Amino acid sequence: MSALAASYDMSFAAVQKHVAVLERAGLLTKRRRGREQLASGDVEAVRSVASMLTELEGIWRGRIARIDALLEEN
């Protein structure tokens, strides 16, 4: 994890917290190799989340457009 933390402008503890959140979300997995902890991203899980967010964005854009249209009528 320390090699990962060195790549970012944040503390080691902050990187650990971010990794823990991503792991709980199923977007990455950690495994031990000797004294090292290795993190691997799950590309398919990230694609699934991206797809879901794109779909939700479309839904909300449609709702906001309908609200805008109603406001213009009044």
Side-chain angles (χ1 to χ4, degrees):
M1 286 296 166
S2 58
L4 179 64
S7 302
Y8 297 96
D9 187 26
M10 62 177 72
S11 69
F12 179 76
V15 170
Q16 280 184 310
K17 286 181 183 180
H18 280 80
V19 168
V21 168
L22 294 171
E23 186 178 23
R24 280 195 306 271
L27 300 177
L28 69 78
T29 57
K30 289 190 307 186
R31 68 183 192 286
R32 284 204 173 274
R33 186 174 71 188
R35 293 181 56 187
E36 293 181 311
Q37 276 195 19
L38 305 173
S40 301
D42 184 339
V43 175
E44 286 305 314
V46 172
R47 285 185 181 140
S48 175
V49 169
S51 174
M52 180 186 69
L53 290 174
T54 299
E55 184 178 330
L56 287 173
E57 179 185 13
I59 291 169
W60 280 103
R61 284 186 184 275
R63 289 177 179 175
I64 291 169
R66 287 192 295 278
I67 291 170
D68 287 346
L70 287 171
L71 291 173
E72 286 178 12
E73 288 178 10
N74 294 328

